[in-house]
Amino acid sequence: MPVRRRRGWELCESEATPEGVFLRRRELLKAAAAGSILGPGLFSLPAWAAEEDPSAELYPAKQNPRYTLDRPLTAEKLATYYNNFYEFGSQKTIADEAQALQVRPWTIKIDGLVDKEMTVDLDDLLKKMTLEERLYRHRCVEAWSMAVPWSGFPMAAFVDFAKPLSSAKYVRMETFLDPKVAPGQKQVWYPWPYIEGVTIAEAGNELAFLVTGMYGKPVPKQDGAPLRLVLPWKYGFKSVKSIVRFSFTDKRPVSFWETVQGDEYGFWANVNPDVPHPRWSQATERVLGVDARRPTLKWNGYGEFVAHLYDGLEKERLFA
Ligand code: MTE
């Protein structure tokens, strides 16, 4: 039976490290890189700041103007230093720890109800996909939000590539499993690896986006390199990071957080200001980098794209 533990992303705001501290830390890193502070040996840059990515020349990708924002973009230094990635710790500052993850070579297994099971190298997959940039709102179940320029390709294009059988009703996704590089995975009370799932209809929706880049560069490890999902109308925990496996199935996948705490984190997890989390309100959100809260939008503002997916499912716990 899973142990009931408070997760870091359940911190109340008064307990969270102020954003200024994160930003200051990043500024220090930049200043150190520029050689303007401290001498050698006193302060060294993290190795990842200089690491080369073999797909770097694919960025920036052309922006798709169809997806517009109602707010300014979140500063890159905030979006890439305020993370949830439990494999590397339950605090927000896991960027340095996440650099232990080797993202090349990276292979992705496609199995289950498909024409032909296969394993594909990420860079080979990238050659078959057309990358684009999209500006999306990103809303965490903890009631904070960002606005991020993601780069990647529609999940629908990946589904076409995978050739599922007509009997496939869901896509189950799995993150890497390697406790040697991800110390969080040594915490045996969590059901590793991280699992998420969507229906085939959700996967085929135009908003569902497989992300390989961010802010015009390859996506950093702490944000889910080299391949993560982004579903902007759902709470962020559905957006599984560092995916190694896609399984097509006729059974509804049970996600990581659903296994840990099923009465708080359901399968659908659609953003809805009118349905509170059992322990806090979802009516408003803290926009990171801005000194104010703003009202949360139903479907995170993407109802015109996705509301129809849930017709007839009113009896489901759509928003938990
Ligand atoms: N994916 C994995 N593998 N592990 C995680 O801990 N956290 C989720 C999601 N994907 C998580 C994950 C949660 S709770 C959120 S809000 C988003 O990633 C955060 O994405 P970001 O750090 O890029 O903002």
Side-chain angles (χ1 to χ4, degrees), residues 246-316:
F246 292 81
S247 304
F248 290 80
T249 167
D250 55 5
K251 295 186 185 53
R252 185 186 290 184
V254 181
S255 77
F256 179 85
W257 289 117
E258 207 177 345
T259 305
V260 174
Q261 194 73 26
D263 53 343
E264 297 193 352
Y265 306 102
F267 175 77
W268 299 102
N270 294 318
V271 176
N272 189 338
D274 301 329
V275 179
H277 182 279
R279 287 177 286 120
W280 58 83
S281 165
Q282 296 291 17
T284 63
E285 62 201 43
R286 183 169 57 103
V287 183
L288 293 191
V290 176
D291 241 358
R293 299 189 76 87
R294 62 181 292 158
T296 290
L297 304 169
K298 190 169 179 181
W299 317 103
N300 204 18
Y302 294 105
E304 63 180 300
F305 297 99
V306 297
H308 68 276
L309 292 173
Y310 306 100
D311 289 345
L313 290 173
E314 289 75 16
K315 288 204 179 102
E316 294 272 345

Coordinates of all heavy atoms in Angstrom, one line a residue, residues 246-316:
F246 N 6.3 4.1 -25.6 CA 4.9 4.3 -25.9 C 4.3 3.0 -26.1 O 4.7 2.3 -27.0 CB 4.8 5.2 -27.1 CG 5.3 6.6 -27.0 CD1 6.7 6.8 -27.2 CD2 4.4 7.6 -26.8 CE1 7.2 8.1 -27.1 CE2 4.9 9.0 -26.7 CZ 6.3 9.2 -26.9
S247 N 3.2 2.7 -25.3 CA 2.5 1.4 -25.5 C 1.1 1.7 -25.9 O 0.4 2.5 -25.2 CB 2.5 0.6 -24.2 OG 3.9 0.4 -23.8
F248 N 0.6 1.1 -26.9 CA -0.7 1.3 -27.4 C -1.6 0.1 -26.8 O -1.1 -1.0 -26.9 CB -0.8 1.3 -28.9 CG -0.2 2.6 -29.5 CD1 1.2 2.7 -29.6 CD2 -1.0 3.7 -29.8 CE1 1.8 3.9 -30.1 CE2 -0.4 4.9 -30.3 CZ 1.0 5.0 -30.4
T249 N -2.7 0.4 -26.2 CA -3.4 -0.6 -25.4 C -4.9 -0.3 -25.4 O -5.3 0.8 -25.8 CB -2.8 -0.5 -23.9 OG1 -3.7 -1.3 -23.1 CG2 -2.8 0.9 -23.4
D250 N -5.6 -1.4 -25.0 CA -7.1 -1.2 -24.9 C -7.5 -1.0 -23.5 O -8.7 -1.0 -23.1 CB -7.8 -2.4 -25.6 CG -7.4 -3.7 -25.1 OD1 -6.6 -3.8 -24.1 OD2 -7.9 -4.7 -25.6
K251 N -6.5 -0.9 -22.6 CA -6.8 -0.8 -21.1 C -6.4 0.6 -20.7 O -5.2 1.0 -21.0 CB -6.1 -1.8 -20.3 CG -6.6 -3.2 -20.6 CD -6.0 -4.3 -19.7 CE -6.5 -5.6 -20.2 NZ -6.3 -5.8 -21.7
R252 N -7.2 1.3 -19.9 CA -6.8 2.6 -19.4 C -5.6 2.5 -18.5 O -5.6 1.9 -17.5 CB -8.0 3.3 -18.7 CG -7.7 4.7 -18.3 CD -8.7 5.3 -17.4 NE -10.0 5.5 -18.1 CZ -11.0 6.2 -17.6 NH1 -11.0 6.6 -16.3 NH2 -12.1 6.3 -18.3
P253 N -4.5 3.3 -18.9 CA -3.3 3.2 -18.0 C -3.6 3.8 -16.7 O -4.4 4.8 -16.5 CB -2.3 4.0 -18.8 CG -2.9 4.1 -20.2 CD -4.3 4.1 -20.1
V254 N -2.9 3.3 -15.7 CA -3.0 3.9 -14.3 C -1.7 4.6 -14.1 O -0.6 4.1 -14.2 CB -3.1 2.8 -13.2 CG1 -3.2 3.4 -11.9 CG2 -4.4 2.0 -13.5
S255 N -1.8 5.9 -13.9 CA -0.6 6.8 -13.9 C 0.1 6.7 -12.5 O -0.4 6.2 -11.6 CB -1.0 8.2 -14.1 OG -1.5 8.8 -13.0
F256 N 1.3 7.2 -12.6 CA 2.2 7.3 -11.4 C 1.4 7.9 -10.2 O 1.3 7.3 -9.1 CB 3.4 8.1 -11.8 CG 4.4 8.3 -10.7 CD1 5.4 7.4 -10.4 CD2 4.4 9.5 -9.9 CE1 6.4 7.7 -9.4 CE2 5.4 9.7 -8.9 CZ 6.4 8.8 -8.7
W257 N 0.9 9.1 -10.4 CA 0.3 9.8 -9.3 C -1.1 9.2 -8.9 O -1.5 9.2 -7.8 CB 0.1 11.3 -9.6 CG 1.4 12.0 -9.6 CD1 2.0 12.7 -10.6 CD2 2.3 12.1 -8.4 NE1 3.3 13.2 -10.2 CE2 3.5 12.8 -8.9 CE3 2.3 11.7 -7.1 CZ2 4.5 13.1 -8.0 CZ3 3.3 11.9 -6.3 CH2 4.5 12.7 -6.7
E258 N -1.7 8.6 -9.9 CA -3.0 7.9 -9.6 C -2.7 6.7 -8.7 O -3.5 6.4 -7.8 CB -3.6 7.4 -10.9 CG -5.1 7.3 -10.8 CD -5.7 6.9 -12.2 OE1 -5.0 7.0 -13.2 OE2 -6.9 6.5 -12.2
T259 N -1.6 6.0 -8.9 CA -1.2 4.9 -8.0 C -0.9 5.4 -6.6 O -1.2 4.8 -5.6 CB 0.0 4.2 -8.6 OG1 -0.3 3.8 -10.0 CG2 0.4 2.9 -7.8
V260 N -0.2 6.5 -6.6 CA 0.2 7.0 -5.2 C -1.0 7.5 -4.5 O -1.1 7.3 -3.3 CB 1.2 8.2 -5.4 CG1 1.6 8.9 -4.1 CG2 2.5 7.7 -6.1
Q261 N -1.9 8.3 -5.1 CA -3.0 9.0 -4.4 C -4.2 9.1 -5.4 O -4.4 10.2 -5.9 CB -2.4 10.4 -4.0 CG -3.3 11.1 -3.0 CD -3.2 10.5 -1.6 OE1 -2.2 9.9 -1.2 NE2 -4.2 10.7 -0.8
G262 N -4.8 8.0 -5.6 CA -5.9 8.0 -6.6 C -7.1 8.9 -6.3 O -7.8 9.3 -7.3
D263 N -7.3 9.2 -5.1 CA -8.5 10.1 -4.8 C -8.1 11.5 -5.0 O -9.0 12.4 -4.9 CB -8.9 9.8 -3.3 CG -7.8 10.0 -2.3 OD1 -6.6 10.0 -2.7 OD2 -8.1 10.2 -1.1
E264 N -6.9 11.8 -5.3 CA -6.5 13.2 -5.6 C -6.1 13.5 -7.1 O -6.1 14.6 -7.5 CB -5.4 13.7 -4.7 CG -5.8 13.6 -3.2 CD -4.9 14.3 -2.3 OE1 -3.8 14.7 -2.7 OE2 -5.2 14.5 -1.1
Y265 N -5.6 12.4 -7.7 CA -5.0 12.6 -9.1 C -5.6 11.6 -10.0 O -5.2 10.4 -10.0 CB -3.5 12.5 -9.0 CG -2.9 13.5 -8.0 CD1 -2.5 13.1 -6.8 CD2 -2.9 14.9 -8.3 CE1 -2.1 14.0 -5.8 CE2 -2.5 15.8 -7.3 CZ -2.1 15.3 -6.1 OH -1.6 16.2 -5.2
G266 N -6.6 12.0 -10.8 CA -7.3 11.0 -11.7 C -6.7 11.0 -13.0 O -5.7 11.6 -13.4
F267 N -7.3 10.2 -13.9 CA -6.8 9.9 -15.2 C -6.9 11.2 -16.1 O -6.1 11.5 -16.9 CB -7.6 8.8 -15.9 CG -7.3 8.5 -17.3 CD1 -6.1 7.9 -17.7 CD2 -8.1 9.0 -18.3 CE1 -5.8 7.7 -19.0 CE2 -7.8 8.8 -19.7 CZ -6.6 8.1 -20.0
W268 N -8.1 11.9 -16.0 CA -8.3 13.0 -17.0 C -7.6 14.2 -16.7 O -7.0 14.8 -17.6 CB -9.9 13.2 -17.0 CG -10.6 12.0 -17.5 CD1 -11.4 11.2 -16.6 CD2 -10.7 11.5 -18.8 NE1 -11.9 10.2 -17.4 CE2 -11.5 10.3 -18.7 CE3 -10.2 11.9 -20.0 CZ2 -11.8 9.6 -19.8 CZ3 -10.5 11.1 -21.1 CH2 -11.3 10.0 -21.0
A269 N -7.7 14.7 -15.4 CA -6.9 15.9 -15.0 C -7.0 17.1 -15.9 O -6.0 17.8 -16.2 CB -5.4 15.5 -14.8
N270 N -8.2 17.4 -16.3 CA -8.4 18.6 -17.1 C -8.5 19.8 -16.2 O -9.2 19.8 -15.2 CB -9.7 18.4 -18.0 CG -9.6 17.3 -19.0 OD1 -8.6 17.2 -19.6 ND2 -10.6 16.5 -19.1
V271 N -7.8 20.9 -16.6 CA -7.8 22.1 -15.8 C -9.2 22.7 -15.7 O -9.9 22.9 -16.7 CB -6.9 23.2 -16.4 CG1 -7.0 24.5 -15.6 CG2 -5.5 22.7 -16.5
N272 N -9.7 22.9 -14.4 CA -11.0 23.4 -14.2 C -11.0 24.2 -12.9 O -10.9 23.6 -11.8 CB -12.1 22.3 -14.1 CG -13.5 22.9 -14.1 OD1 -13.7 24.0 -13.8 ND2 -14.4 22.0 -14.5
P273 N -11.3 25.5 -13.0 CA -11.2 26.4 -11.8 C -12.4 26.0 -10.8 O -12.3 26.4 -9.7 CB -11.4 27.8 -12.4 CG -12.0 27.6 -13.7 CD -11.5 26.3 -14.2
D274 N -13.4 25.4 -11.3 CA -14.6 25.1 -10.5 C -14.5 23.9 -9.6 O -15.3 23.6 -8.8 CB -15.9 25.0 -11.3 CG -16.1 26.3 -12.1 OD1 -15.7 27.4 -11.6 OD2 -16.6 26.2 -13.2
V275 N -13.5 23.1 -9.9 CA -13.3 21.8 -9.2 C -12.0 21.9 -8.4 O -10.9 21.8 -8.9 CB -13.3 20.6 -10.1 CG1 -13.1 19.3 -9.3 CG2 -14.6 20.5 -10.9
P276 N -12.2 22.1 -7.1 CA -11.0 22.2 -6.2 C -10.3 20.9 -6.1 O -10.9 19.9 -6.2 CB -11.5 22.7 -4.9 CG -13.0 22.4 -4.9 CD -13.4 22.3 -6.3
H277 N -9.0 21.0 -5.9 CA -8.2 19.8 -5.5 C -8.7 19.5 -4.1 O -9.2 20.5 -3.4 CB -6.7 20.2 -5.4 CG -5.8 19.1 -5.0 ND1 -5.6 18.8 -3.7 CD2 -5.1 18.2 -5.7 CE1 -4.8 17.7 -3.6 NE2 -4.5 17.4 -4.9
P278 N -8.7 18.3 -3.6 CA -9.3 18.0 -2.3 C -8.6 18.9 -1.2 O -9.3 19.1 -0.1 CB -9.0 16.6 -2.0 CG -8.9 16.0 -3.4 CD -8.4 17.1 -4.3
R279 N -7.4 19.4 -1.4 CA -6.8 20.2 -0.3 C -6.5 21.6 -0.7 O -5.9 22.3 0.1 CB -5.5 19.5 0.1 CG -5.8 18.2 0.9 CD -4.6 17.4 1.3 NE -4.0 16.7 0.2 CZ -2.8 16.9 -0.2 NH1 -2.0 17.7 0.4 NH2 -2.3 16.1 -1.2
W280 N -6.8 22.1 -1.9 CA -6.7 23.5 -2.2 C -7.6 23.9 -3.4 O -8.1 23.1 -4.1 CB -5.2 23.9 -2.4 CG -4.6 23.2 -3.6 CD1 -4.7 23.5 -4.9 CD2 -3.7 22.1 -3.5 NE1 -3.9 22.6 -5.6 CE2 -3.3 21.7 -4.8 CE3 -3.3 21.3 -2.4 CZ2 -2.5 20.6 -5.1 CZ3 -2.4 20.2 -2.7 CH2 -2.0 19.9 -4.0
S281 N -7.8 25.2 -3.5 CA -8.7 25.7 -4.6 C -7.9 25.7 -5.9 O -6.7 25.9 -5.9 CB -9.1 27.2 -4.2 OG -9.6 27.8 -5.4
Q282 N -8.6 25.6 -7.0 CA -8.0 25.7 -8.3 C -8.6 27.0 -9.0 O -8.4 27.2 -10.2 CB -8.3 24.5 -9.2 CG -7.7 23.2 -8.7 CD -6.1 23.2 -8.8 OE1 -5.5 24.2 -8.9 NE2 -5.6 22.0 -8.7
A283 N -9.3 27.9 -8.3 CA -9.9 29.0 -8.9 C -9.0 30.0 -9.5 O -9.2 30.6 -10.5 CB -10.8 29.7 -7.8
T284 N -7.8 30.2 -8.8 CA -6.8 31.1 -9.3 C -5.5 30.4 -9.4 O -5.3 29.3 -8.8 CB -6.7 32.4 -8.4 OG1 -6.2 31.9 -7.1 CG2 -8.0 33.1 -8.2
E285 N -4.5 31.1 -10.0 CA -3.2 30.5 -10.1 C -2.1 31.6 -9.9 O -2.3 32.8 -10.2 CB -3.0 29.9 -11.5 CG -3.1 30.8 -12.7 CD -3.4 30.1 -14.0 OE1 -4.3 29.2 -14.0 OE2 -2.8 30.5 -15.0
R286 N -1.0 31.2 -9.5 CA 0.2 32.1 -9.3 C 1.0 32.0 -10.6 O 1.5 31.0 -10.9 CB 1.0 31.6 -8.1 CG 2.2 32.5 -7.8 CD 2.8 32.0 -6.4 NE 3.2 30.6 -6.4 CZ 4.4 30.2 -6.5 NH1 5.4 31.1 -6.6 NH2 4.7 28.9 -6.5
V287 N 1.0 33.1 -11.3 CA 1.7 33.2 -12.6 C 3.2 33.4 -12.2 O 3.6 34.5 -11.6 CB 1.2 34.3 -13.5 CG1 1.9 34.3 -14.8 CG2 -0.3 34.2 -13.6
L288 N 4.1 32.5 -12.5 CA 5.5 32.6 -12.1 C 6.1 33.8 -12.7 O 5.9 34.0 -13.9 CB 6.2 31.3 -12.4 CG 5.9 30.0 -11.7 CD1 6.9 29.0 -11.9 CD2 5.7 30.3 -10.2
G289 N 6.8 34.5 -11.9 CA 7.5 35.7 -12.4 C 6.7 37.0 -12.4 O 7.2 38.1 -12.7
V290 N 5.4 36.8 -12.0 CA 4.5 38.0 -11.9 C 4.0 38.0 -10.5 O 3.7 37.0 -9.9 CB 3.3 37.8 -12.9 CG1 2.3 38.9 -12.7 CG2 3.8 37.7 -14.3
D291 N 3.9 39.2 -10.0 CA 3.6 39.4 -8.6 C 2.1 39.4 -8.3 O 1.5 40.2 -7.5 CB 4.1 40.7 -8.1 CG 5.1 40.5 -7.0 OD1 5.3 39.4 -6.6 OD2 5.7 41.5 -6.5
A292 N 1.3 38.5 -9.0 CA -0.1 38.5 -8.8 C -0.7 37.2 -9.2 O -0.1 36.5 -10.0 CB -0.7 39.7 -9.6
R293 N -1.9 36.9 -8.7 CA -2.6 35.7 -9.1 C -3.6 36.1 -10.2 O -3.9 37.3 -10.3 CB -3.4 35.1 -7.9 CG -2.5 34.7 -6.8 CD -3.3 33.9 -5.8 NE -3.6 32.6 -6.2 CZ -2.8 31.5 -6.0 NH1 -1.7 31.7 -5.3 NH2 -3.1 30.3 -6.4
R294 N -3.9 35.2 -11.0 CA -5.0 35.5 -12.0 C -6.0 34.3 -12.0 O -5.6 33.2 -11.7 CB -4.4 35.8 -13.4 CG -3.6 34.7 -14.1 CD -3.1 35.1 -15.4 NE -4.1 35.4 -16.4 CZ -4.0 36.1 -17.4 NH1 -2.9 36.8 -17.7 NH2 -5.0 36.3 -18.3
P295 N -7.2 34.6 -12.5 CA -8.2 33.5 -12.5 C -7.7 32.4 -13.4 O -7.2 32.6 -14.5 CB -9.4 34.2 -13.1 CG -9.2 35.6 -13.0 CD -7.7 35.8 -13.0
T296 N -8.0 31.2 -13.0 CA -7.7 30.0 -13.8 C -8.8 29.8 -14.9 O -10.0 30.1 -14.6 CB -7.6 28.7 -13.0 OG1 -6.4 28.9 -12.2 CG2 -7.5 27.5 -13.8
L297 N -8.4 29.5 -16.1 CA -9.3 29.3 -17.2 C -9.7 27.8 -17.3 O -8.9 27.0 -17.2 CB -8.7 29.8 -18.5 CG -8.1 31.2 -18.5 CD1 -7.3 31.4 -19.8 CD2 -9.3 32.2 -18.5
K298 N -11.0 27.6 -17.6 CA -11.4 26.2 -17.8 C -10.7 25.7 -19.0 O -10.4 26.4 -20.0 CB -12.9 26.2 -18.0 CG -13.5 24.8 -18.0 CD -15.0 24.7 -18.0 CE -15.4 23.2 -18.0 NZ -16.8 23.0 -18.0
W299 N -10.3 24.4 -18.9 CA -9.4 23.8 -20.0 C -8.2 24.6 -20.2 O -7.5 24.5 -21.2 CB -10.1 23.6 -21.3 CG -11.6 23.2 -21.3 CD1 -12.7 24.0 -21.5 CD2 -12.1 21.9 -21.2 NE1 -13.8 23.3 -21.5 CE2 -13.5 21.9 -21.2 CE3 -11.5 20.6 -20.9 CZ2 -14.3 20.8 -21.1 CZ3 -12.3 19.5 -20.8 CH2 -13.7 19.6 -20.9
N300 N -7.8 25.4 -19.2 CA -6.6 26.3 -19.3 C -6.7 27.2 -20.5 O -5.7 27.6 -21.1 CB -5.3 25.4 -19.4 CG -4.1 26.2 -18.9 OD1 -4.2 27.2 -18.2 ND2 -2.9 25.7 -19.3
G301 N -8.0 27.5 -20.9 CA -8.2 28.4 -22.0 C -8.3 27.7 -23.4 O -8.4 28.4 -24.4
Y302 N -8.2 26.4 -23.4 CA -8.2 25.7 -24.7 C -9.4 24.9 -25.0 O -9.4 23.9 -25.8 CB -7.0 24.7 -24.7 CG -5.6 25.4 -24.6 CD1 -4.9 25.5 -23.4 CD2 -5.1 26.1 -25.7 CE1 -3.7 26.1 -23.3 CE2 -3.9 26.8 -25.6 CZ -3.2 26.8 -24.5 OH -2.0 27.4 -24.4
G303 N -10.6 25.4 -24.4 CA -11.9 24.7 -24.6 C -12.2 24.5 -26.1 O -12.8 23.5 -26.5
E304 N -12.0 25.5 -26.9 CA -12.4 25.4 -28.3 C -11.7 24.3 -29.0 O -12.2 23.7 -30.0 CB -12.1 26.8 -29.1 CG -10.6 27.0 -29.1 CD -10.2 28.4 -29.9 OE1 -10.6 28.5 -31.0 OE2 -9.6 29.2 -29.2
F305 N -10.5 23.9 -28.6 CA -9.8 22.7 -29.2 C -10.2 21.4 -28.6 O -10.1 20.4 -29.3 CB -8.3 22.9 -29.0 CG -7.7 24.1 -29.6 CD1 -7.5 25.3 -28.8 CD2 -7.4 24.2 -30.9 CE1 -6.9 26.4 -29.4 CE2 -6.8 25.3 -31.5 CZ -6.6 26.4 -30.7
V306 N -10.6 21.4 -27.3 CA -10.6 20.1 -26.7 C -12.0 19.7 -26.0 O -12.2 18.5 -25.7 CB -9.5 19.9 -25.6 CG1 -8.2 20.0 -26.2 CG2 -9.7 21.0 -24.5
A307 N -12.9 20.7 -25.8 CA -14.1 20.4 -25.0 C -14.8 19.2 -25.6 O -15.3 18.3 -24.9 CB -14.9 21.6 -24.9
H308 N -14.9 19.1 -26.9 CA -15.7 18.1 -27.6 C -15.2 16.6 -27.3 O -15.9 15.7 -27.4 CB -15.6 18.3 -29.1 CG -14.3 18.1 -29.7 ND1 -13.3 19.1 -29.7 CD2 -13.7 17.0 -30.3 CE1 -12.2 18.6 -30.3 NE2 -12.4 17.4 -30.6
L309 N -13.9 16.5 -26.9 CA -13.3 15.2 -26.6 C -14.1 14.5 -25.4 O -14.0 13.3 -25.3 CB -11.9 15.3 -26.2 CG -10.8 15.8 -27.2 CD1 -9.5 16.0 -26.6 CD2 -10.8 14.7 -28.3
Y310 N -14.8 15.3 -24.6 CA -15.3 14.8 -23.4 C -16.8 14.7 -23.4 O -17.5 14.5 -22.4 CB -14.8 15.6 -22.2 CG -13.3 15.7 -22.2 CD1 -12.6 16.8 -22.8 CD2 -12.5 14.5 -21.9 CE1 -11.2 16.8 -22.9 CE2 -11.2 14.5 -22.0 CZ -10.5 15.6 -22.5 OH -9.1 15.6 -22.7
D311 N -17.4 15.0 -24.6 CA -18.9 14.8 -24.7 C -19.3 13.4 -24.3 O -18.7 12.4 -24.8 CB -19.3 15.1 -26.1 CG -19.2 16.6 -26.5 OD1 -19.1 17.4 -25.6 OD2 -19.2 16.9 -27.7
G312 N -20.3 13.3 -23.5 CA -20.8 12.0 -23.1 C -20.0 11.4 -21.9 O -20.3 10.2 -21.5
L313 N -19.0 12.1 -21.5 CA -18.2 11.5 -20.4 C -18.5 12.2 -19.1 O -17.7 12.2 -18.1 CB -16.7 11.6 -20.7 CG -16.2 10.7 -21.9 CD1 -14.7 11.1 -22.2 CD2 -16.3 9.3 -21.5
E314 N -19.6 12.8 -19.0 CA -19.9 13.7 -17.8 C -19.8 12.9 -16.5 O -19.5 13.5 -15.4 CB -21.3 14.3 -17.9 CG -21.3 15.4 -19.0 CD -21.4 14.9 -20.4 OE1 -21.7 13.7 -20.6 OE2 -21.1 15.7 -21.3
K315 N -20.1 11.6 -16.5 CA -20.1 10.8 -15.3 C -18.6 10.5 -14.8 O -18.4 10.1 -13.7 CB -20.8 9.5 -15.5 CG -22.3 9.6 -15.6 CD -23.0 8.3 -15.3 CE -24.5 8.5 -15.4 NZ -25.0 7.9 -16.6
E316 N -17.7 10.7 -15.7 CA -16.3 10.5 -15.3 C -15.8 11.6 -14.4 O -16.3 12.7 -14.4 CB -15.4 10.5 -16.5 CG -15.7 9.3 -17.5 CD -14.8 8.1 -17.1 OE1 -13.9 8.2 -16.3 OE2 -15.2 7.0 -17.6

